[in-house]
Coordinates of all heavy atoms in Angstrom, one line a residue:
Chain P
V1506 N -27.2 4.9 64.5 CA -27.6 5.5 63.2 C -26.9 4.7 62.1 O -27.5 4.3 61.1 CB -27.2 6.9 63.2 CG1 -27.5 7.5 61.6 CG2 -27.9 7.8 64.0
Q1510 N -28.5 2.5 59.1 CA -28.0 2.6 57.7 C -27.7 1.2 57.0 O -28.0 0.9 55.9 CB -26.7 3.5 57.5 CG -27.1 4.9 57.6 CD -27.3 5.4 56.1 OE1 -27.5 4.7 55.2 NE2 -27.6 6.8 56.0
M1529 N -35.7 8.4 50.9 CA -36.3 9.2 51.9 C -35.7 8.7 53.3 O -35.5 9.5 54.2 CB -37.8 9.2 51.9 CG -38.2 10.1 50.7 SD -39.9 9.9 50.2 CE -40.7 11.1 51.3
V1530 N -35.8 7.3 53.5 CA -35.2 6.7 54.7 C -33.7 7.2 54.9 O -33.2 7.6 56.0 CB -35.4 5.3 54.8 CG1 -34.8 4.7 56.1 CG2 -36.9 4.9 54.8
D1531 N -33.0 7.2 53.8 CA -31.6 7.5 53.8 C -31.4 8.9 54.2 O -30.6 9.2 54.9 CB -31.0 7.2 52.3 CG -29.5 7.2 52.3 OD1 -29.0 7.1 53.4 OD2 -29.0 7.3 51.2
L1532 N -32.2 9.8 53.6 CA -32.2 11.2 53.9 C -32.4 11.6 55.5 O -31.7 12.2 56.1 CB -33.2 11.9 53.2 CG -33.4 13.5 53.4 CD1 -32.0 14.1 53.0 CD2 -34.6 14.1 52.6
A1533 N -33.5 10.7 56.0 CA -33.8 11.0 57.5 C -32.6 10.5 58.3 O -32.1 11.2 59.2 CB -35.0 10.1 57.8
L1534 N -32.0 9.3 58.0 CA -30.9 8.9 58.7 C -29.6 9.7 58.6 O -29.0 10.0 59.6 CB -30.5 7.4 58.3 CG -31.5 6.3 58.7 CD1 -31.1 4.9 58.0 CD2 -31.5 6.2 60.1
K1535 N -29.4 10.3 57.4 CA -28.3 11.1 57.2 C -28.4 12.4 57.9 O -27.5 12.9 58.4 CB -28.1 11.3 55.7 CG -27.3 10.2 54.9 CD -26.8 10.8 53.5 CE -25.7 9.8 53.1 NZ -26.4 8.7 52.2
S1536 N -29.7 13.0 58.0 CA -29.9 14.1 58.7 C -29.6 14.0 60.2 O -29.0 14.9 60.8 CB -31.4 14.5 58.5 OG -31.7 14.7 57.1
V1537 N -30.1 12.8 60.8 CA -29.7 12.7 62.2 C -28.3 12.5 62.3 O -27.7 13.1 63.4 CB -30.4 11.2 62.6 CG1 -30.0 11.0 64.0 CG2 -31.9 11.3 62.6
G1538 N -27.5 11.8 61.4 CA -26.1 11.8 61.4 C -25.5 13.1 61.5 O -24.6 13.4 62.1
L1539 N -26.1 14.0 60.5 CA -25.5 15.4 60.4 C -25.7 16.1 61.7 O -24.8 16.8 62.1 CB -26.3 16.0 59.4 CG -25.7 17.4 58.9 CD1 -24.3 17.2 58.2 CD2 -26.6 18.0 57.9
I1540 N -26.8 16.0 62.5 CA -27.0 16.6 63.7 C -26.0 16.2 64.7 O -25.4 17.0 65.5 CB -28.5 16.4 64.2 CG1 -29.4 17.1 63.2 CG2 -28.7 16.9 65.6 CD1 -30.9 16.7 63.4
I1541 N -25.8 14.8 64.8 CA -24.8 14.4 65.8 C -23.4 14.9 65.4 O -22.8 15.3 66.3 CB -24.7 12.7 65.6 CG1 -26.1 12.2 66.1 CG2 -23.6 12.2 66.5 CD1 -26.2 10.7 65.9
G1542 N -23.1 14.8 64.2 CA -21.8 15.5 63.7 C -21.5 16.9 64.1 O -20.5 17.3 64.6
V1543 N -22.6 17.7 63.9 CA -22.6 19.1 64.1 C -22.4 19.4 65.7 O -21.6 20.2 66.2 CB -23.7 20.0 63.6 CG1 -23.9 21.4 64.1 CG2 -23.7 19.9 62.1
T1579 N -21.6 14.0 54.9 CA -22.9 13.7 55.2 C -23.7 14.9 54.6 O -24.8 14.7 54.0 CB -23.2 13.6 56.6 OG1 -22.2 12.7 57.1 CG2 -24.5 13.1 57.0
G1582 N -24.2 14.6 51.0 CA -25.1 13.5 50.7 C -26.6 14.0 51.0 O -27.4 13.7 50.2
V1583 N -26.8 14.7 52.0 CA -28.1 15.2 52.3 C -28.5 16.2 51.2 O -29.7 16.1 50.7 CB -28.1 16.0 53.7 CG1 -29.5 16.8 53.9 CG2 -28.0 14.9 54.8
G1584 N -27.7 17.1 50.8 CA -28.0 18.0 49.8 C -28.4 17.4 48.6 O -29.3 17.7 47.8
L1586 N -29.4 14.3 48.0 CA -30.8 13.6 48.2 C -31.9 14.5 48.0 O -32.9 14.3 47.4 CB -30.7 12.8 49.6 CG -30.1 11.5 49.6 CD1 -29.9 11.0 51.0 CD2 -30.9 10.3 48.7
V1587 N -31.8 15.6 48.8 CA -32.9 16.7 48.8 C -33.1 17.2 47.3 O -34.2 17.1 46.9 CB -32.6 17.8 49.7 CG1 -33.5 19.0 49.5 CG2 -32.6 17.5 51.2

Side-chain angles (χ1 to χ4, degrees):
Chain P
V1506 174
Q1510 277 278 5
M1529 283 166 93
V1530 177
D1531 195 13
L1532 178 64
L1534 290 174
K1535 278 198 168 81
S1536 304
V1537 175
L1539 192 63
I1540 293 166
I1541 295 171
V1543 170
T1579 315
V1583 167
L1586 277 168
V1587 169

